Amino acid sequence: MAPRDNAANGADEPKPEKSIATLSTLRIGVKAMIEKDGEKRKAEILSITTRKGKPTFYVHYEEFNKRLDEWVAPERIDLSHEVEWPLPEKPEPKSKQKQTSKTDSKQTKVGQKRPRAGTNQREASGTPFDGSAKSSRRPSQSGGKENRDPSLIAVATEDIGGTPQAEDESTIDLVDMQDAAAAAKAVPDHVPYSREEEIEKLRVGGSMTQNQTEISRVRNLETIQMGDSEIEPWYFSPYPAEFTDVDMVYICEFCLGYYGNLHQFTRHRQKCQLYHPPGNEIYRDDNVSFFEIDGRRQRTWCRNLCLLSKLFLDHKTLYYDVDPFLFYCMTTRTEHGHHLVGYFSKEKESAEGYNVACILTLPQFQRKGYGRLLIQFSYELSKIEGKLGSPEKPLSDLGLLGYRAYWQEVIVDLLVDAGGQLSVEDIGSTLAMTTTDVLHTLQNLNMLRYSNKNHVIVLTDAVLQQREKQREKEKVKGKRFIEPTKLQWKPPVFSAAARTWNW
Amino acid sequence: MSSTRASNARHVRQRKLNTKQPLRIIKEDEIEELPEDEAQRNIPQVETGVEKAEEIEYHLQQVIHSASTAALGEKTQQSFIPTPDAVKAKGVEYDKLYPKKFTSPSTYIRFSSTVEESVGVPYCMDDQDVAILAKLNEGKDVNGNSRKDKLSNCSEDTFEEVMSFFEETIQRLQPFADIDKSPVPSFDEMEQNIDENVSLEAQKWLKVIYPHWMLRKDSKAIMPSIKLRLLDNTSDADDADPYVCFRRREVRQTRKTRGRDAQIVEKLKKLRLELEQSRQLVQMVNQREQLNKQSLETARKVFESRGQLKKVKQERGIIGEKGDDEELLVNQRPAPKPKARQSTADSRTPTIKIPGQQRPSLDRQATENELPMLEEQLRETFDLLEKTVDTKKQQHLNWNKGWEDKTWQPITPPAESAEERPKWGFLPSPQGASYPTPPPTLPSEGSQKDGDTEMPDASAPPSPPQEAPVKAGESPEPEFIIRSMPGAWPREASPFDAPMQREPTPACRLRRGRGGIMHLEARKQRQPGLCRTVVTDSDDSDEEMDDWFAVSDAKIFDYRTALNGSVRRPDTGNRQSLPGAGAPGVPVQPQLQRVASTGNAG
């Protein structure tokens, strides 16, 4: 797949230097063609380490999700092709733009944890948005704009030092990250967002989305074992740095404690007395249960949960503590106990009206319809609260698809049942969805039309067909859904002290 | 996709979509044909909510594209976003790791224990520890030399407890160990931190395992833990460290003002006080229970001793005068019960009362105790007291002859005489100096009824009692104020009157209020004691209210009793010189107590 054309960002930008490289001159930040699934993809080298005497490269494929980042052997790098060298730090800021706007594609998210602020950035100017995340505390020596992306930052550091770090770097470790992060601060303050503002927003807004300094683009865990599953992590998570060196991290299915050593884990299992998430069960049907857990009361468990879910959520931030959140955990029951399937977190008080902060079905349970249950459950809670809810932005790719599927299903069902007339707001209030989300869905399905000088909602043949198909599927496979009558829940009330005294 | 949207968002004016307006729901075939598909116009563009940068990702685009083409009714291939693997783990003995111990309760689970409470000892042994433990249990020490102690086997649990103790202690002692590189504390230092949480079994092993822990110890905890930002460490370095997580959200500062501070101090004081009180309560409850226990034990001992005594008596054939079994069973000594009651009654009543039933019991006691001397003394005393009281009563009657106490029953005023009486006038002062003084027989909680009956007018059958006609000159200071200091009696003046003497004699009047209720009112003066009184029922005397206020019943009572007392003074000389006779209530008390104590001694 070809790299995206950056023409939109201005053709006058200087292109990064390209030339043939050898294995030994490859360094962090270099973009090379790498073989992947039988095709060549452009990928950026994020880290280099030596394994069994051979250099190994951690690469990110451009325009693919970070969860596909991986370690590759040198053989897979196509050295017959020119590589793009990272741009030097010194040259006028402009020269950066080309590169950044390319990397932008995957990195902007980093700076954009604040969705609203971020969305129009790119259109607004050719200036890379990434600068946004920079700290204003320390003016850069260079004065140039920086990417807040650690890999790029690492490049920057390197350039300042003038030494290529490539081969002799044996491990990607904490030091790297810290360097990167430190470099991240070395940025000018004429940026749309300072780090302080970021963190302030995190603090005040209680957001759980990703924080700039937390980006660590190299996955730190190899594999985790949880219950009877072995799972490859998707993203970095701040588990103890010591775990970088172990092959397998063992996670207790019930207390979510983490152990780098099998014997430790076995010992722990002999002592662990938890059989379900440590909170109150608020929903139970034949398949699943839901537990409500207060981040403040169950700090350790919720921290463990967040560490775990960070492995699979790119945009989650663990910068601040879990106190202002409630965690709704879905489990399946066996004689062993309640097995955590997925969860969503929810701010105790969301200024923006979000009814979900983070939502995750654990990978071993994905593609089984559990995600839909989680989503439906979050809306059932909103219905009881009498509020319109919406998931916190940004959504991940999978999150978007999950929500779209759910929205489509419930809206189409409602429309089919209702017939006659319905306003967009009616739909929203019936389903506890925000107007925006309703519009989004209708529009996306091409259901909002203009007919006879009026707007109409069209139940298109395609939509009805899809619904029909889905119904047939459900008949075969069975459908998972939440039965609102089995939900025993009142919106929890928190005193002012409980909200402000966080420790 | 976005570009196509952008391109047809031009020309042709359409009304904006109103989200409040009901929209017709129709099927596709009901649509009136439009030139092309221009329907999307003027409908606000909605963001996907995904990061712009991520939105363009290949797989997502693929899925979105196929979904949108499907929405247009075209056939597309189902596509999905690939994710890394999650597979069934091989070689996991799941049932062993997670035993089938769980049974679901029929009701929804309610649970509040924390992880810490549920996982036991936090330290878990790893392979190194296992090796060492094996060594230890072979009778060797950490270095492989044979152990000299006589400890047998160390269980895994004990081992972990010991290690946990070391780890937790050092965490407490040196929270900044990874920064300041403080030396590992010696075993002695560690030993000082042993508390009751460390089991005895573990304490035995501390010394043995310490060297092993020493070896393993570096700046970090042995069990890896996540990096939490230290509370007081606000350095920027942490901010950048991706491994530091779960920072505390700073509490928004509330404005600090003096008022708030004071409030907080008050709150804290109150809290402190309440805590202290509850502490004392608990302590006293504890004390009480201890005493209860003691008394139960004593009672039991007594019971047993009596049983023994009975046996002995039976064996030896000791039979009392009556010669029956009763004698064996019942305690021969004066029953402790009446004694106890008496003494409590005494302690409760500060004033004298000589109820009729008390004397016989005393008498009985005296005879039974065979202490004629004391008995006689007591009898003398009581006779004396009785006499005194009687004479006093008589005196009161005499004094009150021809007088009518208007204050005695203010509720039902005498019908006609009210007109003839002066509207107001100065109440005669009892020698000016002594008003108000405590009444001679101020009723206390325990003896209110008795106190009333002892009022001198009690014998004069029809109430209301008459008010004593006291002239200023003949109302000497009553001596009753020394009630509480019997030993100091008689005295000319008590220190207690001093403050009261300063109070001027109030000007008083009797006023007939609504419904014929009579009020004794004093002219307004700076007398806090009087001013406290609340005037009710004042509709008819608004203008007067400024100058007059009601005298409280208590004051009236005080005053009256003061008068009564003061007139008695001349009699003192006639009395026998028995101490205590002048104030009938008081001096008797110690004597009674003495009686009680002698009774006990007997």
Side-chain angles (χ1 to χ4, degrees):
Chain A
M1 179 175 166
R4 213 162 90 99
D5 190 4
N6 280 283
N9 286 326
D12 52 330
E13 288 172 25
K15 297 203 168 182
E17 193 188 334
K18 285 187 177 184
S19 65
I20 299 289
T22 65
L23 206 54
S24 57
T25 54
L26 286 178
R27 53 189 163 108
I28 289 175
V30 169
K31 293 178 184 174
M33 299 305 286
I34 291 171
E35 195 202 306
K36 168 81 175 169
D37 300 337
E39 58 175 18
K40 294 253 191 305
R41 289 183 190 168
K42 188 174 180 184
E44 181 187 341
I45 296 172
L46 301 182
S47 178
I48 304 171
T49 185
T50 308
R51 284 183 190 170
K52 294 172 187 158
K54 278 200 302 185
T56 318
F57 303 86
Y58 191 83
V59 296
H60 168 76
Y61 299 102
E62 289 206 337
E63 300 188 4
F64 286 88
N65 194 279
K66 271 160 64 183
R67 69 174 78 88
L68 300 180
D69 293 0
E70 61 182 350
W71 290 98
V72 298
E75 296 84 43
R76 284 172 59 186
I77 303 174
D78 182 2
L79 291 172
S80 64
H81 206 279
E82 285 182 333
V83 300
E84 275 179 33
W85 297 99
L87 288 173
E89 168 89 352
K90 265 300 163 195
E92 70 283 289
K94 269 262 164 195
S95 72
K96 279 253 124 155
Q97 292 196 350
K98 172 70 186 218
Q99 184 201 359
T100 46
S101 51
K102 266 190 201 164
T103 51
D104 236 5
S105 51
K106 51 190 185 277
Q107 289 150 9
T108 343
K109 60 174 146 251
V110 170
Q112 277 181 330
K113 58 243 88 172
R114 296 275 110 203
R116 309 263 163 75
T119 38
N120 294 322
Q121 290 270 344
R122 200 115 67 98
E123 291 89 280
S125 75
T127 317
F129 169 63
D130 28 344
S132 67
K134 301 308 168 41
S135 157
S136 49
R137 259 175 270 169
R138 300 182 194 169
S140 158
Q141 301 148 293
S142 68
K145 288 187 182 165
E146 283 270 356
N147 302 286
R148 45 193 160 178
D149 173 321
S151 68
L152 289 181
I153 289 153
V155 171
T157 347
E158 185 190 342
D159 283 354
I160 295 166
T163 337
Q165 301 175 279
E167 301 92 326
D168 46 6
E169 208 185 34
S170 53
T171 49
I172 32 113
D173 55 11
L174 192 48
V175 181
D176 248 353
M177 307 301 177
Q178 281 170 338
D179 283 350
K185 295 186 166 180
V187 277
D189 45 25
H190 56 284
V191 291
Y193 270 112
S194 74
R195 235 192 114 257
E196 285 82 357
E197 284 170 317
E198 289 280 350
I199 292 178
E200 175 67 10
K201 286 200 162 189
L202 278 179
R203 182 175 69 76
V204 176
S207 166
M208 273 239 159
T209 51
Q210 180 157 7
N211 169 264
Q212 132 74 11
T213 47
E214 273 183 284
I215 327 140
S216 246
R217 298 189 59 207
V218 179
R219 266 196 301 273
N220 52 338
L221 303 189
E222 276 296 294
T223 323
I224 61 165
Q225 188 193 88
M226 181 182 175
D228 60 354
S229 302
E230 264 173 32
I231 309 155
E232 279 182 39
W234 299 2
Y235 307 105
F236 173 88
S237 176
Y239 276 106
E242 292 87 340
F243 287 178
T244 318
D245 303 329
V246 302
D247 293 333
M248 175 93 74
V249 172
Y250 303 88
I251 291 175
C252 173
E253 217 181 343
F254 296 131
C255 75
L256 308 180
Y258 36 86
Y259 299 88
N261 179 287
L262 180 58
H263 199 273
Q264 276 181 348
F265 174 63
T266 317
R267 276 295 299 166
H268 162 75
R269 279 305 311 154
Q270 287 168 18
K271 294 184 284 185
C272 184
Q273 293 298 313
L274 278 181
Y275 294 98
H276 52 77
N280 292 343
E281 195 177 12
I282 56 172
Y283 175 87
R284 185 192 289 180
D285 65 21
D286 295 340
N287 295 311
V288 299
S289 288
F290 271 88
F291 289 81
E292 180 183 60
I293 292 147
D294 184 340
R296 201 172 123 83
R297 289 167 179 273
Q298 295 288 350
R299 211 172 264 136
T300 307
W301 197 86
C302 293
R303 282 174 174 174
N304 289 351
L305 177 62
C306 284
L307 285 169
L308 175 67
S309 66
K310 179 69 189 81
L311 290 172
F312 311 106
L313 295 172
D314 196 9
H315 295 272
K316 185 175 178 57
T317 175
L318 305 185
Y319 191 84
Y320 279 125
D321 214 340
V322 292
D323 291 33
F325 294 90
L326 290 166
F327 296 81
Y328 294 93
C329 303
M330 185 168 70
T331 60
T332 56
R333 287 183 304 278
T334 68
E335 288 167 293
H336 303 280
H338 281 261
H339 308 272
L340 184 68
V341 167
Y343 84 101
F344 64 89
S345 56
K346 177 173 181 171
E347 284 174 81
K348 289 171 181 171
E349 258 175 59
S350 170
E352 327 222 6
Y354 294 135
N355 66 350
V356 162
C358 288
I359 181 165
L360 172 76
T361 308
L362 291 173
Q364 64 268 40
F365 294 101
Q366 281 172 5
R367 301 184 200 287
K368 292 181 176 139
Y370 287 117
R372 192 199 165 280
L373 282 189
L374 285 169
I375 295 173
Q376 191 195 342
F377 194 83
S378 73
Y379 280 107
E380 293 300 339
L381 295 187
S382 290
K383 282 178 196 169
I384 293 180
E385 287 176 310
K387 290 179 185 167
L388 304 185
S390 183
E392 182 175 329
K393 314 296 180 304
L395 294 169
S396 68
D397 48 0
L398 293 168
L400 176 70
L401 299 184
Y403 267 99
R404 278 191 172 179
Y406 172 79
W407 289 337
Q408 174 176 353
E409 184 192 321
V410 291
I411 289 178
V412 169
D413 279 357
L414 177 71
L415 292 176
V416 169
D417 290 348
Q421 291 196 335
L422 266 185
S423 75
V424 173
E425 287 194 353
D426 291 339
I427 300 175
S429 58
T430 312
L431 301 172
M433 282 172 64
T434 59
T435 315
T436 321
D437 289 342
V438 176
L439 275 178
H440 173 107
T441 312
L442 292 176
Q443 201 174 3
N444 194 45
L445 295 170
N446 199 23
M447 290 167 72
L448 270 185
R449 305 279 187 88
Y450 201 70
S451 167
N452 202 10
K453 293 179 185 159
N454 276 309
H455 289 281
V456 291
I457 298 174
V458 181
L459 279 167
T460 62
D461 298 342
V463 161
L464 292 172
Q465 265 177 29
Q466 279 183 344
R467 186 73 192 111
E468 206 45 52
K469 254 200 209 162
Q470 201 186 349
R471 288 237 161 96
E472 275 165 34
K473 235 185 181 173
E474 282 166 10
K475 268 181 207 159
V476 181
K477 285 189 175 176
K479 186 195 179 185
R480 295 183 198 276
F481 60 95
I482 298 290
E483 297 169 61
T485 50
K486 294 186 174 170
L487 175 58
Q488 296 180 359
W489 183 76
K490 263 189 249 161
V493 181
F494 298 96
S495 69
R499 271 182 267 114
T500 48
W501 288 38
N502 283 314
W503 204 249
Chain B
M1 198 174 117
S2 54
S3 63
T4 52
R5 272 185 199 163
S7 67
N8 58 21
R10 252 167 265 137
H11 44 186
V12 187
R13 233 188 181 154
Q14 281 187 343
R15 264 184 291 159
K16 259 189 134 179
L17 175 66
N18 180 355
T19 56
K20 289 198 171 69
Q21 184 195 347
L23 306 178
R24 226 151 38 92
I25 302 168
I26 58 174
K27 294 267 168 65
E28 193 142 29
D29 46 20
E30 300 169 46
I31 278 197
E32 289 180 27
E33 268 323 304
L34 282 173
E36 293 168 33
D37 183 21
E38 294 179 23
Q40 301 292 327
R41 229 162 299 132
N42 272 350
I43 295 169
Q45 289 298 306
V46 182
E47 302 288 341
T48 59
V50 175
E51 293 282 0
K52 274 279 177 287
E54 257 174 32
E55 217 170 13
I56 54 105
E57 277 173 357
Y58 177 77
H59 290 117
L60 180 61
Q61 280 305 318
Q62 236 182 4
V63 176
I64 289 177
H65 178 74
S66 71
S68 61
T69 47
L72 293 172
E74 291 162 36
K75 290 240 160 171
T76 47
Q77 244 194 324
Q78 186 88 38
S79 49
F80 64 96
I81 296 180
T83 54
D85 284 340
V87 294
K88 273 262 179 299
K90 285 169 213 140
V92 175
E93 295 171 88
Y94 188 77
D95 287 346
K96 214 172 157 191
L97 273 177
Y98 299 87
K100 292 184 178 176
K101 278 187 188 162
F102 179 74
T103 45
S104 199
S106 56
T107 55
Y108 287 11
I109 293 169
R110 299 185 69 80
F111 191 83
S112 59
S113 303
T114 61
V115 172
E116 287 81 354
E117 289 159 353
S118 312
V119 297
V121 178
Y123 188 87
C124 294
M125 299 171 65
D126 64 4
D127 303 306
Q128 283 188 53
D129 297 323
V130 173
I132 286 293
L133 183 62
K135 246 195 214 173
L136 290 179
N137 285 340
E138 281 167 23
K140 295 183 178 152
D141 70 9
V142 172
N143 300 319
N145 308 318
S146 56
R147 278 196 281 128
K148 279 158 198 131
D149 52 68
K150 295 187 178 82
L151 297 167
S152 55
N153 262 14
C154 180
S155 71
E156 289 178 318
D157 291 330
T158 310
F159 186 88
E160 286 178 352
E161 194 186 337
V162 171
M163 293 295 273
S164 268
F165 165 73
F166 287 140
E167 291 286 290
E168 278 163 16
T169 309
I170 195 164
Q171 186 57 40
R172 208 173 56 237
L173 294 182
Q174 307 178 349
F176 301 103
D178 52 335
I179 301 164
D180 60 14
K181 306 272 179 232
S182 21
V184 178
S186 69
F187 179 70
D188 292 338
E189 281 175 72
M190 280 296 189
E191 215 171 9
Q192 284 163 13
N193 286 286
I194 295 176
D195 53 23
E196 69 276 12
N197 296 326
V198 185
S199 73
L200 289 175
E201 182 62 21
Q203 289 189 23
K204 287 185 213 158
W205 285 92
L206 283 177
K207 189 144 200 165
V208 182
I209 298 173
Y210 178 78
H212 168 63
W213 175 77
M214 267 286 286
L215 285 178
R216 295 207 60 179
K217 182 79 214 147
D218 55 11
S219 60
K220 282 181 193 159
I222 298 175
M223 296 266 291
S225 61
I226 50 172
K227 273 192 178 180
L228 295 171
R229 181 165 167 162
L230 294 166
L231 265 186
D232 42 355
N233 182 359
T234 46
S235 78
D236 294 347
D238 276 0
D239 275 357
D241 184 346
Y243 282 97
V244 174
C245 45
F246 303 123
R247 292 164 178 83
R248 180 181 175 181
R249 251 169 254 256
E250 302 90 347
V251 180
R252 207 165 301 164
Q253 288 289 326
T254 40
R255 259 192 59 174
K256 215 175 124 108
T257 62
R258 194 171 296 192
R260 260 193 74 77
D261 279 355
Q263 253 179 19
I264 290 166
V265 167
E266 277 313 304
K267 273 185 197 166
L268 287 175
K269 273 186 189 161
K270 203 174 151 214
L271 184 68
R272 159 87 221 218
L273 194 73
E274 280 166 7
L275 284 174
E276 179 59 29
Q277 280 171 347
S278 47
R279 193 184 70 87
Q280 277 173 355
L281 265 180
V282 171
Q283 214 172 18
M284 283 156 84
V285 167
N286 179 32
Q287 236 172 36
R288 184 192 66 197
E289 293 307 314
Q290 296 283 356
L291 287 174
N292 270 346
K293 192 179 155 213
Q294 272 177 19
S295 94
L296 275 176
E297 279 167 0
T298 319
R300 191 191 162 81
K301 265 185 207 158
V302 167
F303 176 77
E304 282 167 354
S305 316
R306 282 189 190 162
Q308 278 175 359
L309 180 65
K310 189 179 145 194
K311 263 187 209 162
V312 170
K313 276 186 176 175
Q314 274 172 340
E315 280 168 14
R316 303 277 163 105
I318 302 173
I319 297 174
E321 296 138 20
K322 292 172 195 166
D324 55 5
D325 280 354
E326 281 297 290
E327 208 132 342
L328 291 175
L329 299 171
V330 179
N331 181 20
Q332 291 304 295
R333 280 172 296 176
K337 262 196 181 166
K339 254 190 279 163
R341 217 199 298 134
Q342 188 186 319
S343 60
T344 52
D346 290 346
S347 62
R348 255 189 288 124
T349 51
T351 54
I352 185 170
K353 55 175 184 184
I354 314 169
Q357 85 265 15
Q358 250 182 20
R359 221 166 5 154
S361 85
L362 278 170
D363 289 349
R364 185 165 31 87
Q365 272 176 32
T367 42
E368 278 169 3
N369 286 330
E370 296 185 322
L371 288 169
M373 294 301 287
L374 181 63
E375 186 205 353
E376 274 171 26
Q377 245 176 16
L378 283 175
R379 202 176 285 165
E380 269 171 34
T381 315
F382 282 114
D383 286 349
L384 214 57
L385 286 175
E386 281 234 302
K387 226 161 136 194
T388 317
V389 172
D390 285 344
T391 43
K392 277 213 149 191
K393 281 179 180 171
Q394 200 50 49
Q395 277 170 2
H396 275 273
L397 281 180
N398 292 338
W399 295 331
N400 291 344
K401 230 169 239 166
W403 290 89
E404 193 180 359
D405 186 358
K406 287 296 180 192
T407 62
W408 181 243
Q409 275 193 337
I411 296 165
T412 52
E416 1 42 80
S417 61
E419 298 300 330
E420 299 141 25
R421 285 181 155 272
K423 278 293 182 193
W424 62 274
F426 283 94
L427 275 179
S429 153
Q431 223 182 26
S434 56
Y435 178 82
T437 35
T441 52
L442 180 70
S444 62
E445 313 88 349
S447 63
Q448 245 158 5
K449 278 180 214 153
D450 300 312
D452 273 353
T453 58
E454 291 191 16
M455 283 300 290
D457 359 67
S459 59
S463 290
Q466 295 133 352
E467 190 163 22
V470 195
K471 282 163 233 153
E474 18 169 289
S475 48
E477 173 193 351
E479 61 270 310
F480 312 105
I481 41 165
I482 55 162
R483 205 167 35 96
S484 56
M485 303 181 61
W489 194 89
R491 273 165 40 158
E492 283 313 305
S494 141
F496 294 102
D497 351 342
M500 298 163 178
Q501 286 171 357
R502 275 183 230 121
E503 290 182 16
T505 309
C508 293
R509 69 168 179 183
L510 272 176
R511 182 174 65 82
R512 190 204 289 263
R514 182 189 287 175
I517 298 168
M518 293 302 288
H519 298 275
L520 177 64
E521 290 175 339
R523 181 165 268 168
K524 198 164 250 180
Q525 273 169 326
R526 288 192 167 271
Q527 282 193 47
L530 294 175
C531 288
R532 287 296 108 79
T533 317
V534 178
V535 177
T536 56
D537 188 30
S538 54
D539 306 13
D540 48 346
S541 55
D542 277 347
E543 70 290 346
E544 290 172 338
M545 287 323 297
D546 296 328
D547 298 320
W548 296 93
F549 51 92
V551 177
S552 74
D553 288 345
K555 286 287 174 202
I556 294 167
F557 183 68
D558 289 356
Y559 191 71
R560 222 181 57 242
T561 47
L563 290 179
N564 290 342
S566 64
V567 193
R568 219 167 297 161
R569 175 49 88 73
D571 277 358
T572 31
N574 304 335
R575 288 186 199 147
Q576 295 96 333
S577 54
L578 179 78
V586 187
V588 184
Q589 192 185 336
Q591 302 235 8
L592 283 177
Q593 277 168 348
R594 238 168 61 210
V595 171
S597 57
T598 41
N600 281 336

